[in-house]
Amino acid sequence: MRIAIIGSAFSGNKGAAAMLESSVQHLSRAGDGRNSFVLLSMYPRSDAAQNPYPNLRVLDANALRLGVLINGAALLHRLLPPLRKTIRNAVPEVKALAEADVLLDEGGITFVDGRGKFLIYNMASILPALFVGTPVVKVAQALGPFKEPLNRRAAKMLLPRMAAIISRGAITHEHLLGLGLTNVHAGADLAFTLEVTAEDVATAETKVDTGFFAGGNVVGFSPSAVLAKSAAARGEDYVAEVAGQIDHITGNLERPVFLVAHSARAHTAKTHNNDLPLCRAIYDAVADKSKVLFVDDELSSQALRYLIGRCDVFVASRFHAMVSSLSMKVPTLVIGWSHKYREVLDMFGQSDLAVGHQDLDDARFVALLDDLLARRAEIHAEIATRLPAVQAKAMEQIDTIVEVAECR
């Protein structure tokens, strides 16, 4: 099989990296095991540098190139059959899509009301494959609601043309069925199946002094540049807020904190898909740095998952930081902004441990964290009981992808 992938990356959001690597890990073993992959990457240089898979090739699909050149060339490929060979030779991304048996759209959240500025990218990611006749599978992700006219119109135009759409939870599934779609499969995030090897563990331990976790009472904390931006728009100081929460943990609770940049792009100050600048500011603002571990570097999704698994409990504002903590059976408090958090926590019976950032104040944070710590053993047991079923549900989409590709 020849598999093209878009919407994920090794660099930046390590949740996207976890989705990417999980799909490559499992699909590499499907069929005769001679499958090849092409990643249409928004960060082609850094992704090529970080790519550990010999059967995966990275091509350039940065936002401008994708929106203008790749979409334009793919449309001409459809409209002008005599020029198809010329177009493929001139634009390797179009050639890769035309030769692929399936395109995996791994955008973690697409076609959602209130995210209008991302709608063009959501459409541009899948249109070239449709233009060249390659089937598209939307790997498990959050979609909807579809009440805003522009988003609803785009969704009703394009989503029925997907070969398969994997919903990432019950809320998304309901949104999709509400559009009258018949190509929807209930699933779970593929990142739940990410494999962490002994080599990954060894690599993580070269980056971090794991003696920090020896006491067994570490609280992991993953802030979010997305929440920081929203808070700033409301006139709030997100850095001071999170630093105060960490000071409560290290001071009043006398617990060390592992500060996690779960989206990270080294060597840039840009904040899109990059929590490193935010975490630096938070670390600078905390009262007792001796009790805070912050790795000012871009770690792999596997290394982060292993280190998150060393925490006693976890506070997550990045979606896939939550996925990693749940995958490692770590009781988790989620401070989020979308239904995408709650629908996954529902799978573990933990939706009471999710709170919208706008609904959070200091007193409520203290109360929720106290509850998490008090019920830690009970929550851990519940996550451990439900995790195998969630992972099995996530793996079902591999069969769907293979079925679509083999019917090409």
Side-chain angles (χ1 to χ4, degrees), residues 128-146:
L130 297 178
F131 289 150
V132 301
T134 298
V136 180
V137 174
K138 288 184 78 68
V139 174
Q141 57 194 257
L143 296 102
F146 306 106

PDB file of all heavy atoms in Angstrom, residues 128-146:
ATOM      1  N   PRO A 128      -7.160  18.379  -2.640  1.00  0.00           N
ATOM      2  CA  PRO A 128      -6.276  17.834  -3.675  1.00  0.00           C
ATOM      3  C   PRO A 128      -6.461  16.332  -3.906  1.00  0.00           C
ATOM      4  O   PRO A 128      -6.439  15.877  -5.058  1.00  0.00           O
ATOM      5  CB  PRO A 128      -4.874  18.143  -3.137  1.00  0.00           C
ATOM      6  CG  PRO A 128      -5.068  19.349  -2.287  1.00  0.00           C
ATOM      7  CD  PRO A 128      -6.401  19.143  -1.632  1.00  0.00           C
ATOM      8  N   ALA A 129      -6.656  15.579  -2.832  1.00  0.00           N
ATOM      9  CA  ALA A 129      -6.877  14.140  -2.998  1.00  0.00           C
ATOM     10  C   ALA A 129      -8.178  13.879  -3.751  1.00  0.00           C
ATOM     11  O   ALA A 129      -8.242  12.997  -4.624  1.00  0.00           O
ATOM     12  CB  ALA A 129      -6.907  13.455  -1.634  1.00  0.00           C
ATOM     13  N   LEU A 130      -9.220  14.648  -3.433  1.00  0.00           N
ATOM     14  CA  LEU A 130     -10.479  14.481  -4.147  1.00  0.00           C
ATOM     15  C   LEU A 130     -10.321  14.844  -5.615  1.00  0.00           C
ATOM     16  O   LEU A 130     -10.883  14.179  -6.494  1.00  0.00           O
ATOM     17  CB  LEU A 130     -11.571  15.341  -3.495  1.00  0.00           C
ATOM     18  CG  LEU A 130     -11.929  14.990  -2.049  1.00  0.00           C
ATOM     19  CD1 LEU A 130     -12.992  15.948  -1.525  1.00  0.00           C
ATOM     20  CD2 LEU A 130     -12.414  13.553  -1.933  1.00  0.00           C
ATOM     21  N   PHE A 131      -9.544  15.879  -5.905  1.00  0.00           N
ATOM     22  CA  PHE A 131      -9.319  16.286  -7.295  1.00  0.00           C
ATOM     23  C   PHE A 131      -8.638  15.180  -8.102  1.00  0.00           C
ATOM     24  O   PHE A 131      -8.948  14.992  -9.281  1.00  0.00           O
ATOM     25  CB  PHE A 131      -8.466  17.556  -7.363  1.00  0.00           C
ATOM     26  CG  PHE A 131      -9.176  18.811  -6.906  1.00  0.00           C
ATOM     27  CD1 PHE A 131      -8.446  19.848  -6.321  1.00  0.00           C
ATOM     28  CD2 PHE A 131     -10.537  18.958  -7.039  1.00  0.00           C
ATOM     29  CE1 PHE A 131      -9.076  21.021  -5.910  1.00  0.00           C
ATOM     30  CE2 PHE A 131     -11.183  20.120  -6.623  1.00  0.00           C
ATOM     31  CZ  PHE A 131     -10.451  21.150  -6.057  1.00  0.00           C
ATOM     32  N   VAL A 132      -7.692  14.457  -7.488  1.00  0.00           N
ATOM     33  CA  VAL A 132      -6.956  13.425  -8.235  1.00  0.00           C
ATOM     34  C   VAL A 132      -7.565  12.041  -8.075  1.00  0.00           C
ATOM     35  O   VAL A 132      -7.044  11.066  -8.604  1.00  0.00           O
ATOM     36  CB  VAL A 132      -5.459  13.395  -7.828  1.00  0.00           C
ATOM     37  CG1 VAL A 132      -4.805  14.746  -8.080  1.00  0.00           C
ATOM     38  CG2 VAL A 132      -5.276  12.954  -6.384  1.00  0.00           C
ATOM     39  N   GLY A 133      -8.674  11.947  -7.340  1.00  0.00           N
ATOM     40  CA  GLY A 133      -9.395  10.684  -7.234  1.00  0.00           C
ATOM     41  C   GLY A 133      -8.891   9.715  -6.183  1.00  0.00           C
ATOM     42  O   GLY A 133      -9.176   8.523  -6.257  1.00  0.00           O
ATOM     43  N   THR A 134      -8.156  10.210  -5.202  1.00  0.00           N
ATOM     44  CA  THR A 134      -7.643   9.348  -4.132  1.00  0.00           C
ATOM     45  C   THR A 134      -8.606   9.373  -2.943  1.00  0.00           C
ATOM     46  O   THR A 134      -8.982  10.456  -2.486  1.00  0.00           O
ATOM     47  CB  THR A 134      -6.250   9.812  -3.685  1.00  0.00           C
ATOM     48  OG1 THR A 134      -5.355   9.699  -4.795  1.00  0.00           O
ATOM     49  CG2 THR A 134      -5.727   8.968  -2.528  1.00  0.00           C
ATOM     50  N   PRO A 135      -9.016   8.212  -2.430  1.00  0.00           N
ATOM     51  CA  PRO A 135      -9.956   8.197  -1.298  1.00  0.00           C
ATOM     52  C   PRO A 135      -9.321   8.774  -0.038  1.00  0.00           C
ATOM     53  O   PRO A 135      -8.117   8.639   0.188  1.00  0.00           O
ATOM     54  CB  PRO A 135     -10.282   6.713  -1.125  1.00  0.00           C
ATOM     55  CG  PRO A 135      -9.143   5.983  -1.746  1.00  0.00           C
ATOM     56  CD  PRO A 135      -8.659   6.856  -2.870  1.00  0.00           C
ATOM     57  N   VAL A 136     -10.154   9.431   0.768  1.00  0.00           N
ATOM     58  CA  VAL A 136      -9.696  10.086   1.994  1.00  0.00           C
ATOM     59  C   VAL A 136     -10.357   9.433   3.196  1.00  0.00           C
ATOM     60  O   VAL A 136     -11.572   9.244   3.224  1.00  0.00           O
ATOM     61  CB  VAL A 136     -10.041  11.595   1.981  1.00  0.00           C
ATOM     62  CG1 VAL A 136      -9.550  12.263   3.266  1.00  0.00           C
ATOM     63  CG2 VAL A 136      -9.441  12.275   0.758  1.00  0.00           C
ATOM     64  N   VAL A 137      -9.548   9.108   4.191  1.00  0.00           N
ATOM     65  CA  VAL A 137     -10.053   8.662   5.491  1.00  0.00           C
ATOM     66  C   VAL A 137      -9.680   9.720   6.514  1.00  0.00           C
ATOM     67  O   VAL A 137      -8.503  10.055   6.669  1.00  0.00           O
ATOM     68  CB  VAL A 137      -9.455   7.307   5.903  1.00  0.00           C
ATOM     69  CG1 VAL A 137      -9.885   6.949   7.336  1.00  0.00           C
ATOM     70  CG2 VAL A 137      -9.882   6.210   4.937  1.00  0.00           C
ATOM     71  N   LYS A 138     -10.684  10.262   7.186  1.00  0.00           N
ATOM     72  CA  LYS A 138     -10.418  11.195   8.277  1.00  0.00           C
ATOM     73  C   LYS A 138     -10.195  10.366   9.533  1.00  0.00           C
ATOM     74  O   LYS A 138     -11.136   9.826  10.117  1.00  0.00           O
ATOM     75  CB  LYS A 138     -11.573  12.182   8.448  1.00  0.00           C
ATOM     76  CG  LYS A 138     -11.633  13.208   7.306  1.00  0.00           C
ATOM     77  CD  LYS A 138     -12.724  14.249   7.511  1.00  0.00           C
ATOM     78  CE  LYS A 138     -12.337  15.304   8.509  1.00  0.00           C
ATOM     79  NZ  LYS A 138     -11.239  16.190   8.046  1.00  0.00           N
ATOM     80  N   VAL A 139      -8.915  10.236   9.908  1.00  0.00           N
ATOM     81  CA  VAL A 139      -8.530   9.466  11.096  1.00  0.00           C
ATOM     82  C   VAL A 139      -9.162  10.122  12.321  1.00  0.00           C
ATOM     83  O   VAL A 139      -9.444  11.328  12.337  1.00  0.00           O
ATOM     84  CB  VAL A 139      -6.997   9.409  11.201  1.00  0.00           C
ATOM     85  CG1 VAL A 139      -6.552   8.740  12.494  1.00  0.00           C
ATOM     86  CG2 VAL A 139      -6.426   8.666   9.993  1.00  0.00           C
ATOM     87  N   ALA A 140      -9.415   9.329  13.359  1.00  0.00           N
ATOM     88  CA  ALA A 140     -10.193   9.760  14.526  1.00  0.00           C
ATOM     89  C   ALA A 140      -9.854  11.176  14.963  1.00  0.00           C
ATOM     90  O   ALA A 140      -8.702  11.487  15.265  1.00  0.00           O
ATOM     91  CB  ALA A 140      -9.983   8.787  15.678  1.00  0.00           C
ATOM     92  N   GLN A 141     -10.878  12.019  14.992  1.00  0.00           N
ATOM     93  CA  GLN A 141     -10.708  13.432  15.311  1.00  0.00           C
ATOM     94  C   GLN A 141     -12.034  14.004  15.777  1.00  0.00           C
ATOM     95  O   GLN A 141     -13.075  13.354  15.677  1.00  0.00           O
ATOM     96  CB  GLN A 141     -10.196  14.197  14.081  1.00  0.00           C
ATOM     97  CG  GLN A 141     -11.079  14.066  12.862  1.00  0.00           C
ATOM     98  CD  GLN A 141     -10.392  14.544  11.591  1.00  0.00           C
ATOM     99  OE1 GLN A 141     -10.663  15.635  11.102  1.00  0.00           O
ATOM    100  NE2 GLN A 141      -9.506  13.715  11.041  1.00  0.00           N
ATOM    101  N   ALA A 142     -11.977  15.210  16.305  1.00  0.00           N
ATOM    102  CA  ALA A 142     -13.187  15.913  16.726  1.00  0.00           C
ATOM    103  C   ALA A 142     -13.717  16.733  15.562  1.00  0.00           C
ATOM    104  O   ALA A 142     -12.958  17.425  14.879  1.00  0.00           O
ATOM    105  CB  ALA A 142     -12.877  16.811  17.923  1.00  0.00           C
ATOM    106  N   LEU A 143     -15.019  16.652  15.323  1.00  0.00           N
ATOM    107  CA  LEU A 143     -15.686  17.455  14.298  1.00  0.00           C
ATOM    108  C   LEU A 143     -16.988  18.010  14.869  1.00  0.00           C
ATOM    109  O   LEU A 143     -17.588  17.409  15.755  1.00  0.00           O
ATOM    110  CB  LEU A 143     -15.988  16.632  13.050  1.00  0.00           C
ATOM    111  CG  LEU A 143     -14.792  16.077  12.280  1.00  0.00           C
ATOM    112  CD1 LEU A 143     -14.594  14.607  12.594  1.00  0.00           C
ATOM    113  CD2 LEU A 143     -14.975  16.262  10.774  1.00  0.00           C
ATOM    114  N   GLY A 144     -17.438  19.141  14.298  1.00  0.00           N
ATOM    115  CA  GLY A 144     -18.686  19.740  14.740  1.00  0.00           C
ATOM    116  C   GLY A 144     -18.514  20.502  16.048  1.00  0.00           C
ATOM    117  O   GLY A 144     -17.444  20.489  16.654  1.00  0.00           O
ATOM    118  N   PRO A 145     -19.590  21.189  16.468  1.00  0.00           N
ATOM    119  CA  PRO A 145     -20.919  21.236  15.830  1.00  0.00           C
ATOM    120  C   PRO A 145     -20.908  21.985  14.507  1.00  0.00           C
ATOM    121  O   PRO A 145     -19.926  22.637  14.164  1.00  0.00           O
ATOM    122  CB  PRO A 145     -21.763  21.965  16.892  1.00  0.00           C
ATOM    123  CG  PRO A 145     -20.791  22.814  17.641  1.00  0.00           C
ATOM    124  CD  PRO A 145     -19.509  22.024  17.685  1.00  0.00           C
ATOM    125  N   PHE A 146     -22.031  21.886  13.789  1.00  0.00           N
ATOM    126  CA  PHE A 146     -22.125  22.442  12.444  1.00  0.00           C
ATOM    127  C   PHE A 146     -23.294  23.427  12.340  1.00  0.00           C
ATOM    128  O   PHE A 146     -24.073  23.391  11.399  1.00  0.00           O
ATOM    129  CB  PHE A 146     -22.327  21.308  11.429  1.00  0.00           C
ATOM    130  CG  PHE A 146     -21.294  20.223  11.496  1.00  0.00           C
ATOM    131  CD1 PHE A 146     -21.610  18.981  12.043  1.00  0.00           C
ATOM    132  CD2 PHE A 146     -20.015  20.426  11.023  1.00  0.00           C
ATOM    133  CE1 PHE A 146     -20.665  17.964  12.104  1.00  0.00           C
ATOM    134  CE2 PHE A 146     -19.063  19.414  11.074  1.00  0.00           C
ATOM    135  CZ  PHE A 146     -19.382  18.179  11.625  1.00  0.00           C
TER     136      PHE A 146
END
